[in-house]
Amino acid sequence: MATSTTQVKSAKAFFVFGDSLVDNGNKNFLANTARADSPPYGIDTPNRRPTGRFSNSKNIPDFISEALGSVPTLPYLSPELKGDTLLVGANFASAGIGILNDTGVQFINIIRMYKQLKYFEQYQARLTDLVGYDEARRIVNDALVLITVGGNDFVNNYYLIPFSPRSRQFSLPDYVRYLISEYRKLLLRLYDLGALKVLVTGTGLMGCVPAELAMRSPSGQCAAELQRAAALYNPQLVNMINELNSQYGSNIFIAANTQQQTTDFINDPAAYGFTTSKVACCGQGPYNGLGLCTVVSNMCPNRDEYASWDAFHPSERANGIIVNMILSGSTNYMGPMNLSSLLALDTKTKT
């Protein structure tokens, strides 16, 4: 059922940080509530079993791994991540987390960003034991890093409840500025840990996901406040990334405009082969946007026709389209260049 992605052959390691949009199953190894290890998650995988991904099958990191000519990264907490599998990279992402440590307080046992970065340090020590310091450093420096975080800081923090602590502390513009300043610290830490090729995704149209339509929009219009948040946040994220690249004198960070891609899905779903971009395939209530996706939920017969798999997450097919945008999108979608250009530059540098 997947959309195939353009393949850019490379032997790079791949590291993934962030939230449920990119979590490959770390939550399977923790006692918590934000998890995707029960049917019907994974319904379109070869064995039709859940993997811990918040998808009917592949998620964004899986498609990027394909494009790199590699196998999918294992969750860092997986006992299978040992020996030569360390050379592939690792996925540190965890559902429910945000840029801020107080995001996702309603979930227990989530791997917050500071802990994901600690695990990255641990990983590097394990890699050094395997291949030696110099080779471990080369692998990390040469690797591709994906970080997808920020949406939960709005939907599971600022807008989680009326008069939330953060919304009393900050106006929305001030909160966005605070998030960007905290995100900058995370990116600087990644750089300090050896990441030299970092793909940073913005938030999508948060007010248009089925969960927010169900809770905030009887008319079906995207929720205005969350749309305003995305419109403030994403341009400031790009500006911050451009400033960091100027500071380092190199294009360390590239920004993926997932807001623009999801806008395209919303405005013209048929152009992408979707029958709907507002109703989730799996769920219940208006837009199938209430509660969790479970075996008793409404389930669409053809997942390829839906941009949304569940109340918050894209379908496998939508993930594939997003990754094609990351690989080959114009500067309307990718800045300062797309992923294929970054990897091609890298190949030229080595030859």
Side-chain angles (χ1 to χ4, degrees):
M1 295 184 80
T3 300
S4 62
T5 48
T6 313
Q7 191 172 91
V8 185
K9 201 69 177 171
S10 171
K12 285 182 185 308
F14 181 35
F15 301 108
V16 181
F17 300 87
D19 58 27
S20 59
L21 290 167
V22 293
D23 184 347
N24 272 18
N26 277 307
K27 304 308 287 300
N28 299 358
F29 305 100
L30 297 167
N32 59 65
T33 51
R35 52 199 305 142
D37 58 350
S38 300
Y41 286 93
I43 190 171
D44 295 312
T45 59
N47 63 12
R48 298 176 64 84
R49 289 184 184 160
T51 61
R53 292 160 173 80
F54 288 78
S55 170
N56 53 309
S57 184
K58 293 175 190 166
N59 63 8
I60 286 169
D62 293 325
F63 282 109
I64 292 176
S65 291
E66 273 183 16
L68 292 172
S70 185
V71 295
T73 54
L74 286 171
Y76 183 68
L77 297 182
S78 169
E80 294 173 35
L81 187 70
K82 59 188 177 184
D84 285 352
T85 58
L86 290 166
L87 302 173
V88 174
N91 187 311
F92 302 92
S94 173
I97 65 98
I99 296 164
L100 305 180
N101 287 335
D102 57 291
T103 291
V105 289
Q106 72 272 38
F107 305 120
I108 56 164
N109 282 346
I110 57 178
I111 311 167
R112 293 189 162 81
M113 278 307 310
Y114 75 89
K115 189 69 178 284
Q116 291 185 31
L117 294 171
K118 275 279 180 208
Y119 280 156
F120 191 32
E121 288 183 77
Q122 274 183 25
Y123 164 88
Q124 292 190 38
R126 293 169 64 190
L127 186 65
T128 298
D129 289 343
L130 182 71
V131 298
Y133 176 82
D134 290 345
E135 179 63 5
R137 197 69 182 164
R138 185 202 64 75
I139 288 168
V140 171
N141 288 165
D142 193 45
L144 178 66
V145 173
L146 169 67
I147 181 166
T148 295
V149 68
N152 282 328
D153 293 287
F154 296 100
V155 299
N156 278 315
N157 191 331
Y158 196 85
Y159 291 110
L160 179 63
I161 53 171
F163 311 109
S164 67
R166 287 296 191 185
S167 68
R168 293 199 304 272
Q169 181 184 7
F170 290 109
S171 69
L172 181 61
D174 287 342
Y175 183 64
V176 168
R177 280 189 285 273
Y178 175 59
L179 283 181
I180 296 294
S181 70
E182 292 300 301
Y183 202 166
R184 186 175 185 276
K185 294 173 189 174
L186 296 176
L187 296 181
L188 290 172
R189 183 67 186 136
L190 269 176
Y191 177 80
D192 289 344
L193 290 170
L196 299 180
K197 298 170 189 70
V198 184
L199 171 62
V200 183
T201 64
T203 70
L205 289 180
M206 297 178 287
C208 302
V209 297
E212 299 304 331
L213 291 173
M215 289 187 287
R216 302 174 191 273
S217 181
S219 66
Q221 296 301 306
C222 298
E225 271 299 289
L226 281 159
Q227 294 301 87
R228 182 170 162 244
L232 286 170
Y233 174 83
N234 287 305
Q236 289 185 47
L237 179 61
V238 171
N239 289 343
M240 182 263 283
I241 285 168
N242 291 338
E243 286 166 10
L244 285 179
N245 286 337
S246 296
Q247 179 182 320
Y248 291 127
S250 178
N251 291 324
I252 306 290
F253 303 98
I254 63 172
N257 187 347
T258 36
Q259 179 181 347
Q260 184 57 54
Q261 183 63 70
T262 51
T263 300
D264 294 347
F265 289 163
I266 296 294
N267 290 345
D268 192 1
Y272 297 90
F274 297 124
T275 56
T276 177
S277 56
K278 291 188 173 180
V279 180
C281 168
C282 180
Q284 44 279 314
Y287 309 99
N288 279 342
L290 296 179
L292 302 172
C293 168
T294 70
V295 288
V296 296
S297 297
N298 300 321
M299 169 63 74
C300 67
N302 186 351
R303 271 71 68 186
D304 282 355
E305 294 181 355
Y306 286 68
S308 292
W309 156 246
D310 66 9
F312 284 105
H313 304 98
S315 64
E316 176 190 51
R317 189 156 168 277
N319 283 327
I321 293 168
I322 290 165
V323 172
N324 273 331
M325 176 270 288
I326 287 168
L327 284 163
S328 53
S330 69
T331 49
N332 289 338
Y333 297 89
M334 297 297 299
M337 67 186 78
N338 60 39
L339 183 54
S340 296
S341 300
L342 179 76
L343 297 173
L345 260 179
D346 199 37
T347 305
K348 282 178 196 163
T349 309
K350 286 180 182 165
T351 52

